[in-house]
Amino acid sequence: MKPTLISALALASALALAPAARAAEPAPLPPKEWIDKDTGHRVVRLSEEPGSSSAYFNINAFTPDGKYLVFSAPSGIQAMDLKTRALTTVVPGRAGLLFVGRKTGLVYYMQNAGSSTMGHDANSPHTPGAAAKPAPAADGRGGPRAVMAIDIATKTARQIALLEPGGAIESINADETLLAGARTTGPSAVPSPGGMLTNKDPGDEVGPDGQKLTYAEGREVQIHRRLMAKIPMEIFTVDTKTGARKVVTASTDWLNHLQFSPTDPNLLMYCHEGNWHIVDRLWLVRLDSDKPPVNIHVRTMNMEIAGHEWFSSDGKTVWYDLQTPRGEDFWVAGYNVETGKRTQYHLDRNSWGVHFNSSPDGKLFSSDGGDSEMAAHAPDGKYIYLLRPRDIPDVAGIHAEGSDKLIKPGVLDPEKLVNMQPHNYRSEPNAAFTPDGKWLVFRSNLFGAG
């Protein structure tokens, strides 16, 4: 049965602009909304500016009352009323959107930082046709930056913290008392935590045989280069009222993707970044305990990969992309943070996505698809998908002894929502459900690279 309530809201991350040789000609405006002729679903363009971008898939961009969606645009940080679709400029000019507080609805951002989002961004210098961004300073660290919070209604802003060079804030906890970030702690010459040690297009990397690699393979080479640098790093928290700073953990592993639980203010998830088949990626740590961080997924076969993790809305489950092995068998896997019980939903190659997500009520999943160069090598994977979980029951109700301690199996049945064939997946769509569960918001360059 086709769900009439699930449709798509597209943020134009890279709408077509006239090429340089035709700069005087105005670019034709893309449609404001349309019915996808292949899926029958309604698609609505939300942004008005080319180069706009939604938040990374696991970052909260909605106010707690469900009224506003917050996103980045070239002109500044904007908030959209999801009922009327009216746009409000929250922070004009260059500002880096961080996230929206789940308790207060304040918009947190970096002052005097370039507008940016996590993941492969549509405005990457490695997007064909995009103007290259200037190379980072030699030390890769820059100067101090202020973490700010602003009220959408009153436009009242205040400074929350001042970050020293080499650090980045990535998450805020459920009651907005703590920020969490990662920073490099080595000599001033080391790059920032997310640096790849190169400003080279991944598609220009070459393999051991001297042949050019695909974009996806080139990224693996660059990620491995950064991982093997063994740069000292630490994860830290900042008290939003006092500014007090505390180190959570430190290592020479590449620490990244910090995410607080949406419900438990003392539970923090992070990853050991790197090539997924060689790192132990998924970690949980409690801030109200002296116990060490816990690795929540242990590889059982060579080339098994797990990553792009996120919390369910109720905070009870960590979900993630699991492949056993990479590129061959695909799952959305879940780990219950209270009981340790596991769930694995199987899906086919085409409905795999760069990122998955779950609806606020936990009854649905989404996939943002992928092109044929990516891990799944999907021949027909360029769609935004709705995924319905279907449990695999015991035959005739006959239970195996100890089955309650085994992985709970299931299948994800896909439905295509948006045909993304024109989309360049160097910009990841990063689909996310709206708070009412009726729409998916995603980034798109369906009308050309800008």
Side-chain angles (χ1 to χ4, degrees), residues 97-427:
L97 173 63
L98 293 174
F99 32 71
V100 178
R102 296 180 184 275
K103 180 180 179 181
T104 65
L106 291 173
V107 177
Y108 292 81
Y109 64 100
M110 299 296 298
Q111 192 173 48
N112 301 323
S115 179
S116 61
T117 52
M118 293 177 65
H120 299 172
D121 191 78
N123 301 315
S124 163
H126 305 317
T127 300
K133 294 178 181 177
D139 68 359
R141 297 163 74 102
R145 294 164 297 157
V147 179
M148 306 292 294
I150 189 168
D151 183 278
I152 293 175
T154 67
K155 305 297 189 300
T156 303
R158 64 184 177 93
Q159 181 176 303
I160 303 298
L162 193 65
L163 286 186
E164 66 270 42
I169 292 296
E170 297 187 19
S171 190
I172 191 167
N173 66 350
D175 60 10
E176 298 182 49
T177 58
L178 291 174
L179 299 169
R183 66 182 292 263
T184 57
T185 57
S188 61
V190 302
S192 61
M196 298 290 186
L197 302 187
T198 179
N199 197 37
K200 186 179 182 181
D201 188 328
D204 290 335
E205 295 282 355
V206 297
D209 59 0
Q211 299 297 309
K212 284 187 66 173
L213 300 173
T214 66
Y215 178 85
E217 291 169 337
R219 266 188 57 81
E220 290 292 328
V221 169
Q222 294 181 350
I223 287 170
H224 190 252
R225 186 180 296 141
R226 164 62 181 86
L227 177 66
M228 291 297 101
K230 296 293 182 183
I231 297 168
M233 292 189 69
E234 66 183 20
I235 290 174
F236 61 92
T237 59
V238 178
D239 188 297
T240 57
K241 290 186 178 179
T242 68
R245 185 176 170 281
K246 181 180 179 182
V247 175
V248 176
T249 187
S251 74
T252 57
D253 293 309
W254 184 1
L255 307 175
N256 200 11
H257 280 221
L258 280 63
Q259 300 171 62
F260 271 111
S261 161
T263 55
D264 184 340
N266 289 303
L267 184 61
L268 179 67
M269 177 165 59
Y270 66 94
C271 84
H272 285 189
E273 189 66 273
N275 310 93
W276 289 8
H277 66 286
I278 65 174
V279 297
D280 294 320
R281 181 175 168 100
L282 283 68
W283 296 79
L284 288 174
V285 61
R286 292 209 61 87
L287 304 184
D288 54 357
S289 168
D290 292 330
K291 293 181 179 179
V294 176
N295 177 15
I296 63 172
H297 181 87
V298 177
R299 187 180 299 105
T300 58
M301 69 169 66
N302 188 35
M303 289 304 298
E304 176 178 331
I305 64 172
H308 280 168
E309 56 283 351
W310 78 97
F311 278 105
S312 60
S313 293
D314 59 11
K316 293 181 179 180
T317 305
V318 172
W319 294 104
Y320 54 98
D321 175 2
L322 172 64
Q323 299 176 37
T324 56
R326 173 182 167 138
E328 294 298 331
D329 210 9
F330 307 94
W331 310 82
V332 171
Y335 172 83
N336 187 296
V337 300
E338 297 172 353
T339 66
K341 295 191 71 171
R342 298 182 182 276
T343 301
Q344 287 184 201
Y345 288 117
H346 195 263
L347 68 158
D348 65 57
R349 184 180 301 275
N350 283 330
S351 53
W352 172 86
V354 186
H355 304 103
F356 299 99
N357 223 321
S358 50
S359 61
D361 62 8
K363 295 180 179 180
L364 297 169
F365 291 85
S366 67
S367 162
D368 58 8
D371 64 29
S372 59
E373 286 189 0
M374 292 176 167
H377 299 290
D380 189 30
K382 296 181 74 171
Y383 286 88
I384 301 295
Y385 289 93
L386 181 68
L387 305 173
R388 292 186 182 81
R390 173 167 51 89
D391 294 336
I392 304 297
D394 292 321
V395 175
I398 302 170
H399 306 290
E401 184 177 354
S403 61
D404 59 325
K405 297 180 177 63
L406 301 177
I407 295 171
K408 178 184 175 183
V411 175
L412 291 173
D413 295 321
E415 179 183 355
K416 294 175 178 176
L417 295 184
V418 184
N419 187 328
M420 299 285 282
Q421 301 305 316
H423 181 82
N424 185 330
Y425 268 83
R426 291 194 183 191
S427 171

Side-chain angles (χ1 to χ4, degrees), residues 24-66:
E25 300 178 21
L29 288 175
K32 189 68 177 174
E33 61 180 87
W34 64 97
I35 301 297
D36 190 300
K37 62 182 180 60
D38 296 306
T39 71
H41 284 277
R42 183 184 179 199
V43 187
V44 178
R45 175 173 55 84
L46 299 183
S47 55
E48 299 293 342
E49 298 177 61
S52 299
S53 192
S54 59
Y56 196 48
F57 82 106
N58 56 20
I59 291 176
N60 181 54
F62 301 98
T63 53
D65 58 7

